Amino acid sequence: PGLATRLSRLENSYARLGLRGGATSDEVKIAYRRLARELHPDVSALPKDEAEIRFRLLHEAYTLIKISNGW
């Protein structure tokens, strides 16, 4: 993908974690862990299918942020 697409995906990933771009690795990790505890299909109040999708998207966002920043 082009640079604009990658930047947009990265911005969306930060937003999915409730953060602004440029958040520190500690801020990202804390936000991910907090949301993972809420969205994990085994504990979420959401229907299991929806929780699985949201958890997967959360994990993809976290992974993209880590890779993009070299963490």
Side-chain angles (χ1 to χ4, degrees):
L3 179 60
T5 302
R6 282 196 309 259
L7 287 176
S8 177
R9 286 182 61 211
L10 186 58
E11 290 169 356
N12 288 338
S13 294
Y14 278 107
R16 185 168 300 282
L17 270 70
L19 298 170
R20 58 173 171 53
T24 67
S25 62
D26 285 340
E27 291 170 327
V28 170
K29 188 183 302 184
I30 289 167
Y32 172 74
R33 288 179 177 172
R34 178 181 51 81
L35 289 169
R37 280 192 300 268
E38 291 176 19
L39 297 175
H40 194 281
D42 291 343
V43 296
S44 177
L46 297 169
K48 189 166 180 82
D49 291 345
E50 185 177 344
E52 288 173 353
I53 291 168
R54 288 189 181 193
F55 186 77
R56 181 180 47 81
L57 292 172
L58 174 68
H59 184 70
E60 289 173 3
Y62 179 62
T63 301
L64 178 64
I65 292 169
K66 286 186 356 179
I67 290 170
S68 295
N69 287 293
W71 298 332

